[in-house]
Amino acid sequence: MRTNKSVHLYIFIIGLLFCIVTGCKNYKATVLQSNTAMPKTFTGDMDTTTIASLQLKQFFTDSCLLHLIDTAVTANPDIQSALQRVEMAGANLQGSRSWLMPAIDFNATAGLEKYGDYTMNGVGNYDTNLSPNINGKQRIPDPTPDYFVGFRSSWEIDLWGKFHNQKEAAFTRFLASRSAYKLAVTSLTAQVATLYYQLLALDNERQIIEQNITLQKNALEIIKIQKLGGRATELAVQQFEAQLARTQSLRYGAAQQITETENQLNFLTGKFTGTVKRDSSIHTLQLPGVLKAGVPVQLLVNRPDIRQAELELTAMNADINAARKAFLPSLNISPYVGYNAFKTALLFNSGSLGYGLLGGITAPIFNRKKLKADYARTMAEGKQALYNYQKVILNGFMEVSNSIKGIENYNNYYRFKQQEVKSLKNAVDVAGDLFLVGRANYLEIITAQRSVLDAELELANTKKNIFLNTINLYRATGGGWQ
């Protein structure tokens, strides 16, 4: 009869293990990886020289701008937050290392229990107290106290590498947080430089406006004198005054933009107010000698956002492996050692020293739905990380391509705009001379003056766009965090 019970027990255990192993086969090892093939070149040039290799001091030669960038990196709240995220990821990594080691706790407990007369403990304690084999110290009081002082431990053995996968995920996310910090520095550097060049362009616009105000005031005085001499009408005077008022209004628009740009720079550098120091003119600034993007595959190493997305994908693969291994049985060991007694006077007696060891294998049966849900959620998060990685690569390629063509097109635009401004300035001089001798009317002068103002402002804006595209190329190729 006992033999049959043993056989049934063995069959039950084998069947249980078979169900567990069979269930785990449904969740085979999965690795999510991108199959996006990078183009070989951006513009057909295979030269690997890239602007991203330049240090900040090599790329930006303006000392005022470099000071602003240094201040921003030190004081900007977003950068400080990014640093704290690195600290948090480092703390998570430190915590993940403890998962592989046993947990040991000092334990001091006290309890009291009154056993019923018709229980195993109640009957057993009653008989034990009547035994002639025990002394007075060993008699069990009723109710029965229970005191323990010692150490207890619990340790889940990492049979399948689940905790190693979780540790790998934590380490990879720590690296990803460092890439996120580099990305924050890169973005901040580009923001500060962009606003600084916008500020220089606005200074240039204000100077152009002031020069044109002086020019138009002189023209207005001339037309007023000619009106007194009967050579011009009140209509001409009103037209010149209207044009002067229009140009003077542009002065205040530029002043407001300068104020807002300075406030933005103060915000990025962690200040409330202050005039932004700038010594250079946008027309005297020099572009870096290297304006090449290299080859697309370099983006995978140089761009912090691509590196961060790649590391996040690696971490999710480790999470998926850990979620899959949660279906497998786990081995737990729980040893203890300490003093245990039912009288405080006997607690630290040598005879009260005790120790024990409990080991067991546990496997999920009725909570498999929760594990399946966790696995499905982790897989979905992993696929999301994969699609984000692909998106970041595509976005990086697009940004570099746009910046390369932007530099080229705006340089050509600037060259022709310079010719236009030169011709329009000559037209203003010619129109003035012809007007004085009566061979041109006042409308031709007004048109020429308005055209040269608009062209000069557009020329300044084009110069700014050249620098902004250069900054974007530097950022897009992965520069700015070194």
Side-chain angles (χ1 to χ4, degrees):
M1 191 69 178
R2 290 183 179 178
T3 303
N4 290 336
K5 289 184 177 179
S6 299
V7 171
H8 291 159
L9 180 61
Y10 292 148
I11 293 174
F12 174 76
I13 293 174
I14 292 173
L16 182 62
L17 292 175
F18 176 78
C19 291
I20 293 171
V21 173
T22 303
C24 294
K25 284 184 178 180
N26 296 328
Y27 303 95
K28 295 180 180 179
T30 303
V31 177
L32 299 176
Q33 55 186 5
S34 174
N35 55 4
T36 303
M38 294 286 286
K40 292 184 179 179
T41 68
F42 291 108
T43 59
D45 187 2
M46 293 295 293
D47 189 358
T48 58
T49 303
T50 172
I51 196 173
S53 62
L54 296 179
Q55 300 290 323
L56 280 176
K57 291 183 179 180
Q58 295 174 299
F59 184 80
F60 298 115
T61 57
D62 190 313
S63 60
C64 295
L65 174 56
L66 288 171
H67 176 71
L68 283 173
I69 293 173
D70 289 340
T71 304
V73 171
T74 303
N76 185 264
D78 289 335
I79 297 297
Q80 300 304 317
S81 296
L83 276 175
Q84 293 309 306
R85 285 191 288 271
V86 174
E87 293 293 328
M88 289 187 291
N92 288 335
L93 176 59
Q94 291 292 332
S96 69
R97 292 170 179 167
S98 65
W99 299 338
L100 298 171
M101 304 300 294
I104 302 176
D105 300 315
F106 173 76
N107 196 255
T109 61
L112 182 67
E113 188 167 3
K114 173 69 172 69
Y115 298 108
D117 293 338
Y118 306 105
T119 63
M120 293 292 292
N121 285 325
V123 174
N125 292 344
Y126 179 82
D127 285 344
T128 299
N129 286 339
L130 298 176
S131 173
N133 298 323
I134 63 173
N135 56 41
K137 293 181 179 180
Q138 294 175 316
R139 294 188 183 279
I140 302 172
D142 185 21
T144 307
D146 184 25
Y147 304 103
F148 177 86
V149 176
F151 297 92
R152 296 185 185 274
S153 177
S154 61
W155 187 15
E156 181 180 346
I157 307 299
D158 194 21
L159 290 176
W160 319 106
K162 177 178 65 176
F163 293 139
H164 279 85
N165 289 137
Q166 293 175 346
K167 179 183 175 183
E168 178 188 354
F171 176 69
T172 309
R173 288 196 171 92
F174 170 70
L175 297 179
S177 69
R178 296 176 62 180
S179 292
Y181 171 75
K182 294 176 182 178
L183 176 62
V185 173
T186 299
S187 299
L188 180 63
T189 299
Q191 280 182 285
V192 171
T194 296
L195 290 171
Y196 184 77
Y197 287 133
Q198 287 176 345
L199 193 58
L200 294 183
L202 288 169
D203 287 341
N204 188 40
E205 285 184 20
R206 183 165 58 180
Q207 183 180 3
I208 292 170
I209 291 170
E210 293 297 338
Q211 291 172 351
N212 277 269
I213 286 174
T214 301
L215 178 67
Q216 291 173 15
K217 281 183 177 179
N218 293 335
L220 178 60
E221 292 301 319
I222 292 174
I223 203 69
K224 284 182 177 180
I225 293 172
Q226 289 188 340
K227 178 192 172 186
L228 294 176
R231 295 181 56 193
T233 64
E234 178 63 21
L235 177 61
V237 174
Q238 293 297 323
Q239 291 278 16
F240 275 94
E241 286 182 344
Q243 175 170 264
L244 177 60
R246 171 183 177 271
T247 306
Q248 288 174 325
S249 69
L250 295 178
R251 171 198 290 164
Y252 297 101
Q256 178 61 25
Q257 291 183 60
I258 289 173
T259 299
E260 292 176 0
T261 305
E262 285 188 318
N263 285 337
Q264 285 181 291
L265 281 169
N266 286 328
F267 168 75
L268 293 178
T269 54
K271 296 187 296 184
F272 287 98
T273 59
T275 301
V276 176
K277 182 180 178 182
R278 61 264 194 194
D279 293 334
S280 305
S281 166
I282 196 167
H283 290 291
T284 60
L285 285 176
Q286 298 296 319
L287 291 171
V290 179
L291 287 178
K292 294 185 176 181
V295 292
V297 72
Q298 291 174 306
L299 298 181
L300 301 179
V301 178
N302 292 334
R303 275 188 66 123
D305 57 342
I306 294 180
R307 183 62 180 151
Q308 179 189 1
E310 181 186 12
L311 290 167
E312 291 289 353
L313 178 58
T314 302
M316 286 309 308
N317 276 317
D319 284 341
I320 290 171
N321 280 332
R324 181 180 64 86
K325 291 171 182 177
F327 290 91
L328 298 170
S330 59
L331 174 61
N332 296 275
I333 298 176
S334 301
Y336 74 90
V337 60
Y339 292 98
N340 191 199
F342 48 70
K343 293 180 180 179
T344 54
L346 302 174
L347 181 59
F348 295 104
N349 190 293
S350 60
S352 297
L353 180 65
Y355 56 85
L357 177 65
L358 177 66
I361 295 178
T362 58
I365 298 296
F366 296 107
N367 64 332
R368 291 177 65 83
K369 286 187 177 181
K370 179 181 181 301
L371 296 179
K372 288 179 181 179
D374 289 342
Y375 181 79
R377 174 184 52 78
T378 307
M379 279 294 297
E381 290 176 349
K383 291 179 180 179
Q384 184 183 39
L386 172 61
Y387 299 142
N388 181 63
Y389 177 56
Q390 294 172 337
K391 174 187 173 182
V392 172
I393 292 176
L394 290 171
N395 182 66
F397 184 87
M398 177 192 69
E399 289 181 344
V400 173
S401 298
N402 288 344
S403 298
I404 291 173
K405 296 304 293 184
I407 293 172
E408 178 185 345
N409 290 328
Y410 278 115
N411 270 315
N412 292 329
Y413 191 96
Y414 185 77
R415 186 172 70 254
F416 287 107
K417 187 57 68 173
Q418 280 181 309
Q419 296 176 12
E420 179 186 352
V421 169
K422 182 178 179 181
S423 298
L424 288 173
K425 284 184 175 180
N426 291 335
V428 170
D429 294 337
V430 172
D433 294 339
L434 291 175
F435 181 74
L436 291 175
V437 296
R439 298 183 61 184
N441 59 47
Y442 70 91
L443 291 176
E444 290 175 308
I445 296 178
I446 291 175
T447 300
Q449 289 179 345
R450 179 173 296 182
S451 296
V452 75
L453 172 60
D454 293 340
E456 285 185 312
L457 292 176
E458 194 171 350
L459 180 67
N461 191 57
T462 304
K463 184 71 172 181
K464 177 192 70 177
N465 287 334
I466 293 172
F467 279 97
L468 296 190
N469 275 274
T470 305
I471 295 169
N472 287 336
L473 180 64
Y474 187 48
R475 178 193 58 79
T477 54
W481 56 266
Q482 296 89 341

